[in-house]
Amino acid sequence: MIETGLAGKVVLVTGGAAGIGRATVERFTSEGAQVVAWDLTEGAGIERVDVTDEAAVAAATEQVVERFGRIDVLINNAGITRDAQLAKWKDGELASTMSVAEFESVLAVNLKGVFLPTRAVVPVMIRQAGGVILSASSVVGLYGNFGQTNYVATKAGVIGMTRTWARELGRWGIRVNAVAPGFIATEMVAKMPAKVTEGIAARTPLGRLGRPEEVAAVYLWLASNEASFLHGAVISVDGGMVIGT
């Protein structure tokens, strides 16, 4: 049995209302952690916080500290997609492009929305002499993906920020790592055509999509005492999808 050491710890999860975020909230709660979930979606146990809003993030972080006195784990899980080809060419003409709005909206949530909560939480963790910061990247951030210039840019950026923060924050006892999921059976993936998801599953050596709770389990391990010397790492959770392509 894994000794997580998370009972009573204060865990902040962004994008906690659905998918991997919701599974993460449930898993950490089951381990006895005090979990605070942020999201734009209203729901039981969800605090409405826009992670792209500097003032909102600062105020919400202060509220967590006022309530619990500390923040032990931050999980930057919030993210969106706005897929489009950079330049779709059809019948000898430019049919469409990725719009600036599509590009910037994804950068705002997936990149700025990781930067702002982390920046807000780090002083708290330095004062308490330690903490754990985990962020959601993606296998596409490692290898690229058709039609996802914006999403890939953000997930590659999360890896870069993770490695930079690992260099900066280790001296304060703050461990920083990232998780790079493959295709996970979430609400976001459910919007994809069935033939696409079936094709992805067929190209994955394990023969299926991942489950949100499988990514939550990796977050749990990374936050636990068992991963106490893991720092600056990017852990792929993809069922072998990359080696299968």
Side-chain angles (χ1 to χ4, degrees), residues 81 83 110 137-146 148-157 159 180-183 236 238 241-242:
T81 58
D83 295 351
N110 297 8
S137 180
S138 169
V139 291
V140 306
L142 291 165
Y143 302 101
N145 197 36
F146 187 94
Q148 289 195 312
T149 295
N150 47 8
Y151 189 74
V152 169
T154 62
K155 295 308 183 180
I159 292 171
F183 283 86
S236 292
D238 66 357
M241 182 182 71
V242 171

Side-chain angles (χ1 to χ4, degrees), residues 22-185:
R22 181 172 61 195
T24 300
V25 169
E26 292 171 353
R27 184 61 194 274
F28 276 79
T29 299
S30 74
E31 293 290 328
Q34 301 283 344
V35 182
V36 178
W38 291 354
D39 208 301
L40 288 180
T41 303
E42 300 288 351
I46 304 296
E47 297 184 10
R48 196 176 193 285
V49 179
D50 181 353
V51 294
T52 71
D53 184 324
E54 181 178 6
V57 169
T61 302
E62 186 176 343
Q63 289 172 5
V64 175
V65 176
E66 287 177 354
R67 181 180 175 188
F68 296 104
R70 59 189 298 115
I71 299 174
D72 297 293
V73 181
L74 168 64
I75 301 177
N76 290 305
N77 180 74
I80 64 171
T81 58
R82 297 289 185 271
D83 295 351
Q85 292 181 45
L86 180 65
K88 185 175 182 179
W89 198 260
K90 187 176 181 180
D91 298 327
E93 296 182 354
L94 183 64
S96 64
T97 63
M98 176 176 286
S99 70
V100 172
E102 289 168 332
F103 184 80
E104 291 184 342
S105 63
V106 174
L107 262 66
V109 176
N110 297 8
L111 208 54
K112 185 180 179 183
V114 173
F115 166 75
L116 289 177
T118 303
R119 190 183 65 170
V121 163
V122 162
V124 179
M125 291 183 172
I126 290 175
R127 293 188 188 102
Q128 68 196 27
V132 177
I133 296 168
L134 306 174
S135 300
S137 180
S138 169
V139 291
V140 306
L142 291 165
Y143 302 101
N145 197 36
F146 187 94
Q148 289 195 312
T149 295
N150 47 8
Y151 189 74
V152 169
T154 62
K155 295 308 183 180
V158 166
I159 292 171
M161 291 196 299
T162 294
R163 289 172 173 161
T164 298
W165 295 338
R167 291 178 180 273
E168 293 182 355
L169 302 177
R171 73 189 71 180
W172 306 109
I174 302 171
R175 292 194 298 108
V176 189
N177 293 292
V179 171
F183 283 86
I184 310 299

